[in-house]
Amino acid sequence: MEQAAGKNTAGGKMYPPIEPFDRRMLEVGDGHTVYVEQCGAKDGMPVVVLHGGPGGGCSPAMRRFFDPKKYRIILFDQRGCGRSRPHASVTANTTWHLIRDIELIRDTFGIDRWIVFGGSWGATLGLVYAQSHPDRVAWLVLRGVFLATEREFDWFYGGGAGQFWPDLWARFTDLIPADEREDLIEAYHKRLFSGDRGDELKHARVWASWENALASIENDGAMIDSPADYALAFARLENHYFQNRAFLSEDQQILRNMTRIAHVPGTIVQGRHDMICPPQAAWSLHKSWPTSEFRMIPRAGHAVSEPGIAAELVRTTDKLARQRDTLGL
């Protein structure tokens, strides 16, 4: 989940809020229309921002990691979430549909190559996109890496993280009958797609709040219910993707395909105390990617709003802006 980021950070201050110079609803096929916006400089370095979730949607704060005088910042709500329509729909909604949508956005805006910036699920999507279209990616900036492996699913939905947060884990599991708790993703799937709006919403809010509560190192253990529309889209889409293991053909697909982007440079920013996406995945990615830079943030969890993470992301984008000619953007 992408957490709101609105703080100034030491050594890498986020840029002031800005408004888009272009907003549009783009028909991507299969009955879906996605919200897309452009901010910053029309002739700036193009960067596409991939939000988390799946189903999280983009937020105005995501514009603020980039110098608006130097970047052409492109954000969009992935299929089924945020302002995209139909809302909370999982029909024709897979990783490969999203890869196609990213390419359609790039082509629609007449962009040859761009920087890809994503966190959590956005990092997963960014890696799969780069492996599918390596010639279109000038640099990858990834935060809170998630590789969609069984080890990661088991950590967050099989009790690993629950060992650190047993009280919150109990709230997440108590909603499910004891005989169905061996596969909580499947158990929640039945209820998130039951056809009973009230039951779907009840389970959606608990699904979303389990993740939200663990996002920041500053968490005090509170599980706050999300607004109904957000919770429903977030929970349904995330559950749909996770039940299908991100629609990847094999468990270690991303790591096994890293040779496809061995020449593409990238920066990995990872919170040391990330309870949602533990650092092992980011470290394994770095070791499989010779052109990557690795930045471990000592006192930080998963959220993009963690001061150290936000500061490092801004420092990274500022550095890339100074390398525009070298990157050919």
Side-chain angles (χ1 to χ4, degrees):
M1 177 183 291
E2 300 286 2
Q3 298 296 301
K7 304 175 182 177
N8 283 335
T9 54
K13 289 186 177 181
M14 295 181 68
Y15 289 91
I18 55 173
E19 290 298 315
F21 64 78
D22 173 39
R23 287 186 174 99
R24 66 181 74 187
M25 298 297 292
L26 181 66
E27 292 188 8
V28 295
D30 310 303
H32 284 272
T33 306
V34 303
Y35 169 82
V36 188
E37 66 177 41
Q38 298 187 81
C39 314
K42 293 181 180 180
D43 61 348
M45 292 174 62
V47 57
V48 61
V49 180
L50 307 179
H51 66 69
C58 60
S59 72
M62 295 177 189
R63 307 165 185 160
R64 299 181 55 197
F65 292 99
F66 313 92
D67 185 338
K69 295 180 181 179
K70 297 179 180 178
Y71 277 95
R72 180 183 179 185
I73 310 154
I74 299 162
L75 296 88
F76 72 103
D77 291 333
Q78 295 160 27
R79 294 189 182 203
C81 66
R83 290 146 288 189
S84 296
R85 294 294 181 267
H87 183 71
S89 172
V90 299
T91 302
N93 197 336
T94 72
T95 304
W96 306 105
H97 287 99
L98 300 185
I99 298 300
R100 192 177 72 189
D101 294 349
I102 296 168
E103 272 295 274
L104 178 60
I105 291 168
R106 185 193 59 76
D107 187 61
T108 298
F109 291 150
I111 295 168
D112 182 47
R113 296 168 67 248
W114 52 6
I115 294 168
V116 176
F117 180 103
S120 196
W121 161 251
T124 321
L125 186 59
L127 285 162
V128 178
Y129 171 75
Q131 290 175 354
S132 301
H133 302 281
D135 56 327
R136 300 303 182 186
V137 181
W139 199 286
L140 278 163
V141 181
L142 308 177
R143 185 269 310 167
V145 169
F146 174 59
L147 300 177
T149 64
E150 284 298 325
R151 182 177 184 177
E152 292 163 292
F153 288 120
D154 188 58
W155 164 260
F156 204 65
Y157 296 107
Q163 295 182 54
F164 289 85
W165 298 94
D167 49 343
L168 306 188
W169 178 247
R171 182 185 171 190
F172 184 67
T173 58
D174 284 354
L175 217 53
I176 302 300
D179 62 352
E180 293 186 58
R181 292 178 191 167
E182 286 299 311
D183 188 345
L184 287 166
I185 293 176
E186 174 60 28
Y188 266 90
H189 183 80
K190 291 179 183 177
R191 291 154 178 87
L192 290 169
F193 296 90
S194 68
D196 180 328
R197 168 92 179 174
D199 197 49
E200 289 178 353
L201 183 56
K202 178 177 72 173
H203 287 85
R205 279 182 160 146
V206 174
W207 176 281
S209 63
W210 162 241
E211 183 167 331
N212 185 56
L214 272 62
S216 174
I217 198 171
E218 301 298 333
N219 171 52
D220 60 5
M223 293 183 76
I224 301 172
D225 286 341
S226 302
D229 283 350
Y230 175 87
L232 197 61
F234 179 83
R236 281 169 59 95
L237 267 67
E238 190 169 78
N239 178 275
H240 164 70
Y241 273 78
F242 291 176
Q243 187 196 43
N244 288 284
R245 298 305 190 258
F247 298 93
L248 302 181
S249 60
E250 55 181 317
D251 184 46
Q252 297 288 336
Q253 178 172 325
I254 291 175
L255 291 181
R256 288 174 181 167
N257 285 338
M258 286 306 295
T259 54
R260 296 183 182 180
I261 58 170
H263 63 291
V264 177
T267 303
I268 302 166
V269 179
Q270 178 69 37
R272 170 76 72 183
H273 303 284
D274 191 331
M275 296 296 294
I276 296 174
C277 298
Q280 180 59 46
W283 182 249
S284 297
L285 177 67
H286 173 56
K287 300 304 288 183
S288 301
W289 188 10
T291 51
S292 67
E293 303 170 347
F294 187 78
R295 304 284 185 265
M296 184 76 84
I297 310 303
R299 183 174 168 76
H302 183 71
V304 71
S305 59
E306 305 279 45
I309 290 176
E312 189 59 45
L313 290 172
V314 173
R315 281 193 288 268
T316 297
T317 63
D318 284 349
K319 182 193 75 170
L320 295 181
R322 295 191 294 270
Q323 298 177 2
R324 180 171 187 174
D325 290 343
T326 302
L327 294 175
L329 297 176

